[in-house]
Amino acid sequence: MADAPECSQELAFFGQVTASVTHELKNYLALINEYNGLLCDLVMAHEMGRELDLGRLKSLCGDIKRQVVAGGAVLDHLNGLAHSVDQQVRTVDLGRCLGLFVGLSRRSDARQGVELELMPPPEAISLRTQLFTLLRGLWQCLEAALAACPAGGRLTLEAAIEGGQARLSLRGATPAGPGQAACAPAAALLSALGASFSRQEDGSVRLCLPLDGA
Amino acid sequence: MRVLLVDDEEELVTTLSERLALRDIESDWATSGEEGLRLALASHYDWVVLDLKMPGMGGLETLRVIKRQRPDTQVMVLTGHSAEDEFEAVMRAGASHYLLKPLDVDDLIAKMQA
């Protein structure tokens, strides 16, 4: 993505996220399909004389409901991404934005065998920015952290106000090697956000953003 | 007939295994390519049903090793979304079928018994 024009990079980001999210949705539908199929199988077996296990049926109904709720949450996240371009610049609640981001990136980090945990900010943090651009910046920070995070690892996303800025940290990556150190958000993107990116000695990556009104 | 189901979605393989059992088909399951490969090489399975996109060892890599070391084992590959290049790679690696989720279990069995 680094060599593509900025407009293409935005489309590429949108494509990456929607590919990942729609794949996740397909998995929920596949599970619902199997639970429904098993319900039909058990009913058919009952019609052929097998005893009906009501507890199993109730359990399967609960399983279907759970997958519908989980799939609905994924759709909400996708809808959130679609609406992130509605306004060029607006006041963004960072805690809500991070919740949306973690929801959108869940499959992407799981595919690499890494769990991403969000620590909600201890206080409300407001930014004046374009939500879509902020999500892109977060995505590229995550890619930078994942490049240096072993499979089976855990990344923790934290946010706090520090030195008059919003400071986002992704902890859990190992100190990066020469190839991994090159993985960082694009300069044009950081410029659009008015942000600075750094990789700490312990491997964690950090994004600092101006607060609303700063 | 013995079947090995490999998918990182544990609920999917356990439910599918239960559905196969209701049709008197014996199955084992694994939730990673590595675990699936270990089972496939340690025992005889007539069919391996293998998800393509899994963390760690993906389905294509698992398929290649199975076909290299157990060429008689038939493999069906599952995917959420079809892609032409993916289809070609999977079939070139020796898969017998390339199936889209969600599955039709009776269609799956018909393909195994064909």
Side-chain angles (χ1 to χ4, degrees):
Chain A
M1 269 172 54
D3 295 335
E6 190 58 16
C7 177
S8 300
Q9 292 206 9
E10 290 176 351
L11 285 174
F13 165 67
F14 194 79
Q16 271 185 308
V17 177
T18 50
S20 166
V21 169
T22 51
H23 203 100
E24 193 178 357
L25 279 170
K26 199 69 179 277
N27 275 340
Y28 288 123
L29 290 175
L31 271 171
I32 290 168
N33 179 68
E34 290 313 314
Y35 289 138
N36 172 68
L38 183 52
L39 276 175
C40 293
D41 290 348
L42 292 172
V43 169
M44 200 178 295
H46 175 65
E47 286 170 350
M48 295 169 71
R50 181 183 165 128
E51 190 179 346
L52 199 56
D53 181 350
L54 286 178
R56 185 75 186 102
L57 294 191
K58 282 182 188 167
S59 161
L60 283 168
C61 290
D63 289 335
I64 290 173
K65 176 73 178 171
R66 190 163 44 79
Q67 297 304 324
V68 169
V69 169
V74 172
L75 272 177
D76 287 344
H77 295 141
L78 191 57
N79 187 264
L81 175 69
H83 284 293
S84 69
V85 290
D86 287 353
Q87 291 166 279
Q88 196 60 30
V89 174
R90 62 170 151 148
T91 300
V92 172
D93 178 274
L94 187 58
R96 289 187 64 178
C97 170
L98 294 179
L100 172 61
F101 171 71
V102 170
L104 287 170
S105 61
R106 208 173 69 92
R107 181 175 168 82
S108 182
D109 45 67
R111 286 262 297 116
Q112 297 192 41
V114 173
E115 188 182 342
L116 176 61
E117 182 187 26
L118 172 63
M119 303 292 286
E123 58 188 319
I125 302 176
S126 293
L127 308 176
R128 187 89 185 146
T129 189
Q130 193 199 27
L131 180 56
F132 181 75
T133 309
L134 179 56
L135 290 169
R136 278 184 63 215
L138 291 169
W139 187 271
Q140 292 191 12
C141 285
L142 178 61
E143 285 183 336
L146 285 172
C149 189
R154 171 189 286 240
L155 287 172
T156 304
L157 176 58
E158 299 169 329
I161 295 175
E162 189 179 276
Q165 289 185 307
R167 190 209 65 211
L168 296 170
S169 300
L170 271 162
R171 300 182 191 280
T174 55
Q180 294 156 340
C183 187
L189 179 56
L190 290 174
S191 173
L193 288 167
S196 63
F197 172 85
S198 59
R199 193 185 289 276
Q200 309 301 302
E201 278 187 11
D202 66 356
S204 62
V205 301
R206 186 175 285 190
L207 186 71
C208 291
L209 296 148
L211 293 169
D212 186 12
Chain B
M1 182 161 60
R2 285 191 76 209
V3 180
L4 174 63
L5 307 168
V6 186
D7 193 306
D8 59 318
E9 288 285 350
E10 184 172 338
E11 291 181 65
L12 186 79
V13 283
T14 54
T15 309
L16 195 51
S17 180
E18 195 173 345
R19 297 190 70 195
L20 292 175
L22 284 167
R23 290 161 174 80
D24 296 321
I25 295 174
E26 185 186 347
S27 64
D28 292 324
W29 52 267
T31 55
S32 68
E34 292 87 347
E35 189 188 355
L37 182 62
R38 186 181 60 75
L39 288 173
L41 299 183
S43 185
H44 170 75
Y45 293 98
D46 300 290
W47 282 94
V48 175
V49 180
L50 185 62
D51 184 34
L52 200 54
K53 289 193 165 57
M54 293 183 285
M57 190 177 197
L60 185 58
E61 190 184 350
T62 310
L63 164 67
R64 285 181 176 135
V65 181
I66 290 174
K67 292 306 284 185
R68 195 163 57 234
Q69 301 198 21
R70 292 263 184 180
D72 294 340
T73 302
Q74 304 262 43
V75 181
M76 284 188 198
V77 168
L78 294 182
T79 187
H81 298 273
S82 66
E84 191 66 29
D85 54 344
E86 193 178 81
F87 169 77
E88 285 171 11
V90 161
M91 300 311 280
R92 245 195 332 268
S96 303
H97 299 281
Y98 175 81
L99 302 176
L100 285 179
K101 294 178 182 176
L103 279 176
D104 178 331
V105 74
D106 293 317
D107 177 54
L108 183 81
I109 293 167
K111 284 185 166 58
M112 289 174 181
Q113 292 174 338

